Amino acid sequence: MNAKNTGKVSPSIISESLEKSMYLGLNGIPLETMPTDHTNFLFHNPTGYWSFPNQTIINSLESQYLLLYELVVTKLWGSSQAYVDAEGSINADWKDMLTDTGLNAESTLSKSDFDKILGKITDADDKKFLHKYLYTIDVFSLISNIQELSKELIYLSGDFYYILNFESEFSGLPNSNKQNFRTTKSPVANKLIGLMALIYIRLHSLLDYYTKLAYEIEKIKTSFEKYPKLASNNKLYSDKKKLKINESIGTLFEKDAFINAIESYRNELIHNSLLDDTPRIYEKYENYELVERYILLPDTDKNGRIEGYVNRKFFYSQEVKFNLILPDILRTFQARQLKTLEVLSQSA
């Protein structure tokens, strides 16, 4: 049976893959057409966007972000119209400066220049207005950062599966080596492990950002005599104990094995870089054809913590394949993001 008859595409014969729609297999084997069964896959369209099937929750998340923006505006300005009117009263050049400086590279003003310009405002009411507007943009920035990080996770996952499906340095192996299992140690393996690390790091960054957002929503500022610091300044996920939302069921603040695993893998990757003494990909062959590629994660206990024994930290008896569980990790995380946003909106 050849690759064409099975619907599978050999990584070595892909030439114009980025110019057409692709269906990437979670097992590292690309597909010519969209699976009609319940096979999980990643879809890439020619515009450059990646998506998993059944991702309707993305739209729900976007709706919740919009509601949260409106909630912030209402709490600070009284109504959406009042904010629109306030924003419309700001000179265009000033508006660009206030929304960009200190937050992104669109503004090249230095800290001292920014301070001098703001210092020219002497009227008390104008100062209050300015400080409230600056604070509003700062809170908006927390929400938009969460949106960007959430999108980045999908893009990173897309790159991970693209490499797993299409990059192989051993496509010219003789048939004698295309039997049973092979272990691949190569630059490709290093890239995949690097992307896996970045995915876990970004997941944990979102935990930190949701903590910041929760602090701000629960302790939103009401006095603007001075430009107020965010209540969430220097707050991280470890500071969540003081939040009302902490331990709320179904949110990112419910501490369980799922969250513990994200923290455990992320901490190991941040502090020790690797989850294996050498980055490697495992390859499985049947009838001299590559049928599976995967990366293993170390064992965790029932609480989601990496199991260790004295100096030995990585055991692989559970044979957890990261590439097979990644979609479920993202879906579960998204569902908990949605619940978190709903609880914050209702409790504010």
Side-chain angles (χ1 to χ4, degrees), residues 32-146:
E32 288 184 325
T33 58
M34 181 184 294
T36 55
D37 55 13
H38 297 293
T39 301
N40 215 339
F41 63 95
L42 185 72
F43 172 68
H44 174 270
N45 67 39
T47 62
Y49 286 94
W50 302 97
S51 63
F52 292 100
N54 304 319
Q55 283 287 284
T56 54
I57 194 171
I58 297 294
N59 295 330
S60 298
L61 278 170
E62 289 301 321
S63 296
Q64 280 297 318
Y65 294 137
L66 291 175
L67 288 175
L68 205 56
Y69 281 117
E70 291 178 10
L71 174 67
V72 171
V73 164
T74 301
K75 278 194 163 291
L76 291 173
W77 299 88
S79 68
S80 296
Q81 188 58 52
Y83 176 68
V84 170
D85 292 342
E87 196 171 36
S89 69
I90 303 173
N91 174 280
D93 291 335
W94 267 76
K95 183 181 174 185
D96 288 342
M97 178 192 68
L98 297 176
T99 55
D100 292 330
T101 304
L103 294 176
N104 60 63
E106 291 298 299
S107 171
T108 58
L109 277 178
S110 67
K111 172 186 171 182
S112 59
D113 287 340
F114 188 58
D115 180 55
K116 287 176 184 177
I117 293 172
L118 297 186
K120 293 178 181 179
I121 305 298
T122 57
D123 181 82
D125 289 337
D126 287 346
K127 276 183 172 291
K128 288 181 182 179
F129 176 90
L130 176 66
H131 295 156
K132 184 160 70 168
Y133 186 75
L134 286 169
Y135 176 73
T136 303
I137 299 303
D138 292 342
V139 179
F140 283 177
S141 183
L142 289 178
I143 303 172
S144 65
N145 286 346
I146 287 173

Side-chain angles (χ1 to χ4, degrees), residues 229-275:
K229 282 191 175 182
L230 292 168
S232 57
N233 259 10
N234 303 317
K235 299 299 183 187
L236 299 172
Y237 190 63
S238 56
D239 298 306
K240 63 189 177 60
K241 294 179 181 179
K242 295 181 180 180
L243 292 169
K244 295 176 185 176
I245 196 175
N246 189 37
E247 298 185 2
S248 293
I249 303 300
T251 71
L252 293 171
F253 298 100
E254 178 188 0
K255 200 69 180 296
D256 57 10
F258 175 76
I259 296 295
N260 286 341
I262 291 173
E263 287 198 290
S264 192
Y265 288 132
R266 176 264 184 189
N267 290 342
E268 191 62 40
L269 288 162
I270 282 285
H271 300 302
N272 298 311
S273 299
L274 300 174
L275 296 177

Side-chain angles (χ1 to χ4, degrees), residues 2-57:
N2 59 36
K4 185 175 181 180
N5 290 335
T6 62
K8 297 174 181 177
V9 182
S10 171
S12 63
I13 63 173
I14 297 299
S15 58
E16 299 179 351
S17 54
L18 288 177
E19 298 177 5
K20 61 183 181 180
S21 298
M22 293 185 293
Y23 305 98
L24 307 185
L26 304 191
N27 63 353
I29 308 300
L31 304 163
E32 288 184 325
T33 58
M34 181 184 294
T36 55
D37 55 13
H38 297 293
T39 301
N40 215 339
F41 63 95
L42 185 72
F43 172 68
H44 174 270
N45 67 39
T47 62
Y49 286 94
W50 302 97
S51 63
F52 292 100
N54 304 319
Q55 283 287 284
T56 54
I57 194 171

Side-chain angles (χ1 to χ4, degrees), residues 320-332:
V320 178
K321 299 173 183 178
F322 174 72
N323 46 293
L324 296 187
I325 67 170
L326 177 55
D328 287 334
I329 291 173
L330 296 179
R331 290 190 185 105
T332 300

